[in-house]
């Protein structure tokens, strides 16, 4: 027998419609690229998103076509989140920290019809534009007074505010299939070319419900939310959607991610909840320390993307009375997977035990299943000791990558995360290692294969291995291990200089270690784990 309830598709535009109707007067505050602070309300956001939806239609953007953004966290980016997906096109957030070659590859692969960009990224756009066939249209996210002049992009350059001003705010959000694609985010989290994760309206809405819950990101209409985690990296952990669902005030940091700017905004706008990777919070805490400052309104901070060190949890909680919530997720998971929220019996544990618990990545939010398996795929016990590959499945987990040009990732219906973990009897997962060969530096990925490929171009290199070495500031930095060709007098400085202009500046390894040989497994594969064990502490002892 069928249930007799209404079938209303889960659509992103409904979040905006809800926010306009029920929280129209709630504020959105943004530090702009132009340098000033901009403020308006949800009702303005909704109206301008409708104007932009009309503008996209006038540019001929069809449902399902991709619209790229190269932008910081700010209100115009938020408008595009809703205008593009709401109209049935696909919002493709581009990561400006990537090398221009990778950006060009991603734009071409996604076949972006148009790319919107913040003025900061004009030089990047000028480098990318000649390398791509699509798009033919670029839009500078600024007003007429700030438009770049005398540019020769050999393509159309439009002004964001002209598009908004030039179109009506009468637009009916189409009734889409809830399974249609809404947004696209590439991840370079594994080897080979970056892969696109294509979210749907349904997966996004279900993720929004689950991520807003008290034991997840815990967001309400009384919160002032400060997403420092970028909108170009997994939809700022879904906060633009969550904020609309609950009607929270939003504060966007724009391009200013230094400790002083962040602290000013937190205090001026009375932020209650902030989200970011540990590296960014290090800068914030160092600044607050230096000025003997404090947090007068912030109640909690969600830290993820990389392990949150207990030392950071302690400073936030004991010195600043700000609760730390450790979370784990992935681009392929939209991103929220587990959140470290105490169960009832854990809240009164002795403080040391609570800190030990908070170092774990937490328990799954409803909607995510997880398991750990051994090398043969057998499930391992949740005893807090056995470690194995972490697999997940759920409503907002990807089942294959965009373009289908990669091996389908699922194993028996489970997504292999590339993380290695243990799970305790309470279901708290803790990451102990990573089976994927990548380096996560300051919350962003560096491909070890790409680094090795560049090293191999040098005539003095016989074998090149790039590993993630722990780093006090960036969490991890690339370390290059090199076996020289016989007779080669290659020096570290020369090899490092060889990387200039071949990779993004921050991808360049910090050091080279010359070794006589590298350990090989039975099939001739380099045993990176052994090398990580041996050299992983290189930057800590340096
Ligand atoms: P991304 O797809 O860029 O969001 O990266 C996801 C990956 O980042 C995960 O598979 C982990 O390797 C790592 N990661 C995310 N959150 C955490 C965390 N809290 N602790 C340790 N690693 C994390």
């Amino acid at each position: 027998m069928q249930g007799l309830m209404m079938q209303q598709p889960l659509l992103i535009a409904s979040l905006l419609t809800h926010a306009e109707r029920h929280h129209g007067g709630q504020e959105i505050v943004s530090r702009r690229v132009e340098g000033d602070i901009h403020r308006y309300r949800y009702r303005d956001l909704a109206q301008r998103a409708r104007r932009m939806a009309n503008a996209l239609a006038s540019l001929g953007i069809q449902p399902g076509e991709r619209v790229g953004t190269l932008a910081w966290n700010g209100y115009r980016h938020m408008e595009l989140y809703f205008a593009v997906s709401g109209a049935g096109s696909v919002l493709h957030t581009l990561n400006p920290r990537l090398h221009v070659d990778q950006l060009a590859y991603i734009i071409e692969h996604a076949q972006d019809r148009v790319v919107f960009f913040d003025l900061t990224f004009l030089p990047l756009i000028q480098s990318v534009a000649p390398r791509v066939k699509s798009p033919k249209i670029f839009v500078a996210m600024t007003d007429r007074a700030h438009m770049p002049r005398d540019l020769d992009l050999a393509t159309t350059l439009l002004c964001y505010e002209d598009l908004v001003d030039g179109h009506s705010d009468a637009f009916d959000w189409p009734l889409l299939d809830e399974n249609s694609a809404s947004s696209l985010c590439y991840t370079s989290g594994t080897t080979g070319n970056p892969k696109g994760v294509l979210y749907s309206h349904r997966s996004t809405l279900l993720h929004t419900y689950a991520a807003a819950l008290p034991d997840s990101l815990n967001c309400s209409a009384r919160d002032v939310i400060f997403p420092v985690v970028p909108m170009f990296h997994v939809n700022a952990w879904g906060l633009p959607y969550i904020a609309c669902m609950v009607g929270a005030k939003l504060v966007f940091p724009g391009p200013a991610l230094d400790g002083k700017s962040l602290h000013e905004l937190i205090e001026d706008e009375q932020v209650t909840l902030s989200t970011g990777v540990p590296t960014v919070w290090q800068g914030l805490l160092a600044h607050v320390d230096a000025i003997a400052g404090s947090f007068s309104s912030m109640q909690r901070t969600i830290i993820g993307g990389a392990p949150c060190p207990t030392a950071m949890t302690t400073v936030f909680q004991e010195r600043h009375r700000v609760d730390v919530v450790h979370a784990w997720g992935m681009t392929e998971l939209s991103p929220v997977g587990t959140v470290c929220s105490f169960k009832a019996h854990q809240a009164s544990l002795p403080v040391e035990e609570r800190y030990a618990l908070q170092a774990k990545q937490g328990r799954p939010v409803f909607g995510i299943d997880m398991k750990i398996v051994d090398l043969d795929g057998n499930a391992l016990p949740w005893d807090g000791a056995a470690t194995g590959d972490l697999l997940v499945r759920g409503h907002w987990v990807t089942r294959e990558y965009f373009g289908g040009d990669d091996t389908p990732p699922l194993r028996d219906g489970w997504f292999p995360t590339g993380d290695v973990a243990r799970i305790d009897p309470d279901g708290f997962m803790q990451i102990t290692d990573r089976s994927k060969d990548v380096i996560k530096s300051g919350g962003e990925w560096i491909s070890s294969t790409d680094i090795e490929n560049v090293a191999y171009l040098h005539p003095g290199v016989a074998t090149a291995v790039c590993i993630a070495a722990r780093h006090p500031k960036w969490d991890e930095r690339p370390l290059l291990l090199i076996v020289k060709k016989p007779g080669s007098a290659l020096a570290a400085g020369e090899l490092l200089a060889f990387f200039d202009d071949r990779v993004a500046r921050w991808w360049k390894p910090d050091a080279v270690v010359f070794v006589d040989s590298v350990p090989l497994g039975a099939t001739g594969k380099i045993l990176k784990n052994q090398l990580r064990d041996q050299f992983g502490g290189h930057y800590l002892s340096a």
Side-chain angles (χ1 to χ4, degrees):
M1 189 194 245
Q2 293 260 304
L4 293 174
M5 307 307 281
M6 290 184 190
Q7 277 284 343
Q8 275 212 310
L10 297 163
L11 298 178
I12 285 176
S14 65
L15 292 168
L16 187 63
T17 311
H18 171 86
E20 182 180 24
R21 186 166 305 137
H22 299 283
H23 307 283
Q26 182 63 284
E27 260 194 315
I28 299 174
V29 180
S30 311
R31 193 190 290 278
R32 292 206 284 194
V33 172
E34 290 92 335
D36 55 351
I37 299 283
H38 172 273
R39 41 184 90 235
Y40 71 0
R41 299 177 189 281
Y42 275 102
R43 67 173 73 94
D44 305 308
L45 164 73
Q47 191 197 59
R48 284 169 52 95
R50 290 196 298 271
R51 288 178 187 272
M52 184 48 76
N54 276 320
L56 291 169
S58 77
L59 295 176
I61 310 296
Q62 300 294 319
E65 289 188 328
R66 272 74 63 200
V67 173
T69 60
L70 199 59
W72 300 109
N73 293 8
Y75 68 102
R76 291 186 182 116
H77 206 174
M78 177 95 171
E79 289 163 7
L80 290 169
Y81 261 57
F82 290 93
V84 175
S85 307
S89 310
V90 178
L91 178 87
H92 175 199
T93 49
L94 290 155
N95 187 335
R97 300 204 205 281
L98 293 177
H99 188 264
V100 61
D101 289 341
Q102 285 176 312
L103 271 176
Y105 167 83
I106 291 173
I107 290 172
E108 284 285 278
H109 189 264
Q111 299 203 340
D112 291 337
R113 282 286 317 280
V114 43
V115 171
F116 287 75
F117 66 95
D118 268 337
L119 284 182
T120 322
F121 305 121
L122 179 61
L124 206 48
I125 290 291
Q126 284 175 293
S127 307
V128 165
R131 297 176 197 222
V132 292
K133 285 199 246 15
S134 69
K136 296 281 173 278
I137 306 169
F138 291 90
V139 182
M141 292 164 70
T142 189
D143 53 24
R144 182 102 323 252
H146 292 87
M147 274 301 277
R149 291 179 215 294
D150 304 326
L151 274 189
D152 183 17
L153 283 179
T155 104
T156 309
L157 178 66
L158 302 176
C159 167
Y160 188 95
E161 290 301 326
D162 283 357
L163 283 178
V164 171
D165 289 346
H167 290 89
S168 150
D169 70 350
F171 185 88
D172 291 327
W173 299 111
L175 205 59
L176 306 165
D177 174 348
E178 65 179 13
N179 287 306
S180 57
S182 59
S183 37
L184 176 64
C185 186
Y186 278 71
T187 172
S188 32
T190 43
T191 48
N193 280 325
K195 300 183 213 350
V197 178
L198 189 63
Y199 310 104
S200 71
H201 284 261
R202 177 186 158 81
S203 70
T204 303
L205 266 277
L206 292 174
H207 177 267
T208 307
Y209 276 117
L213 286 169
D215 278 348
S216 298
L217 307 189
N218 187 10
C219 302
S220 87
R222 294 162 306 285
D223 273 314
V224 181
I225 302 180
F226 189 40
V228 178
V229 47
M231 288 166 83
F232 58 73
H233 192 157
V234 222
N235 310 316
W237 298 351
L239 287 162
Y241 308 118
I242 297 170
C244 279
M245 181 178 272
V246 304
K249 173 175 167 181
L250 264 175
V251 181
F252 287 125
L257 301 177
D258 61 285
K260 180 170 181 289
S261 308
L262 294 177
H263 187 236
E264 270 171 19
L265 217 44
I266 289 172
E267 288 304 297
D268 290 353
E269 301 304 327
Q270 291 289 286
V271 164
T272 61
L273 168 65
S274 62
T275 59
V277 295
T279 307
V280 172
W281 288 163
Q282 258 186 25
L284 172 68
L285 287 175
H287 167 77
V288 175
D289 227 24
I291 61 164
S294 60
F295 298 105
S296 60
S297 56
M298 199 150 81
Q299 296 160 6
R300 57 203 188 285
T301 179
I302 295 154
I303 304 185
C308 174
T310 301
M312 182 171 282
T313 309
T314 319
V315 172
F316 265 121
Q317 294 189 168
E318 293 185 4
R319 197 174 306 163
H320 296 298
R321 304 280 153 222
V322 174
D323 283 336
V324 167
V325 182
H326 193 187
W328 167 88
M330 296 182 74
T331 307
E332 287 89 337
L333 269 78
S334 310
V336 178
T338 63
V339 181
C340 195
S341 291
F342 295 141
K343 290 181 171 177
H345 72 95
Q346 294 164 333
S348 52
L349 284 173
V351 68
E352 290 313 317
E353 286 181 46
R354 270 187 285 136
Y355 277 127
L357 203 55
Q358 285 186 285
K360 300 184 180 183
Q361 279 70 12
R363 56 197 168 94
V365 300
F366 173 78
I368 293 289
D369 276 348
M370 67 176 179
K371 66 175 178 180
I372 44 173
V373 298
D374 65 15
L375 290 177
D376 299 322
N378 303 312
L380 291 166
W382 293 17
D383 58 6
T387 63
D389 283 328
L390 177 67
L391 307 185
V392 294
R393 66 180 180 194
H395 310 296
W396 51 86
V397 179
T398 196
R399 66 166 190 267
E400 61 182 277
Y401 292 104
F402 177 64
D405 49 4
D406 219 83
T407 331
L410 298 197
R411 278 198 235 154
D412 290 335
W414 291 78
F415 177 81
T417 63
D419 289 318
V420 175
R422 53 176 166 243
I423 304 177
D424 72 17
D426 272 313
F428 280 63
M429 181 275 285
Q430 182 162 30
I431 292 180
T432 57
D433 200 358
R434 206 186 279 150
S435 57
K436 49 195 177 194
D437 287 339
V438 272
I439 298 129
K440 203 166 200 195
S441 182
E444 298 287 339
W445 293 114
I446 296 173
S447 157
S448 55
T449 338
D450 285 6
I451 301 285
E452 288 158 7
N453 288 341
V454 171
Y456 276 120
L457 295 175
H458 193 287
V461 170
T463 306
V465 185
C466 181
I467 59 161
R470 292 185 297 286
H471 191 277
K473 175 164 183 202
W474 300 107
D475 189 37
E476 293 175 2
R477 289 295 300 153
L479 176 69
L480 195 52
L481 306 169
I482 295 290
V483 182
K484 286 191 242 187
K485 286 224 176 108
S488 162
L490 178 61
E494 180 192 340
L495 184 56
L496 290 177
F498 190 69
F499 279 83
D500 292 340
D501 299 328
R502 288 191 161 92
V503 294
R505 211 158 3 125
W506 64 281
W507 276 41
K508 187 170 152 179
D510 295 12
V512 176
V513 175
F514 291 107
V515 290
D516 293 334
S517 62
V518 292
L520 300 178
T523 56
K525 211 176 150 209
I526 295 170
L527 298 174
K528 282 202 175 180
N529 283 2
Q530 267 187 31
L531 290 169
R532 272 208 303 264
D533 289 347
Q534 196 180 344
F535 294 100
H538 185 84
Y539 296 127
L540 302 179
S541 49

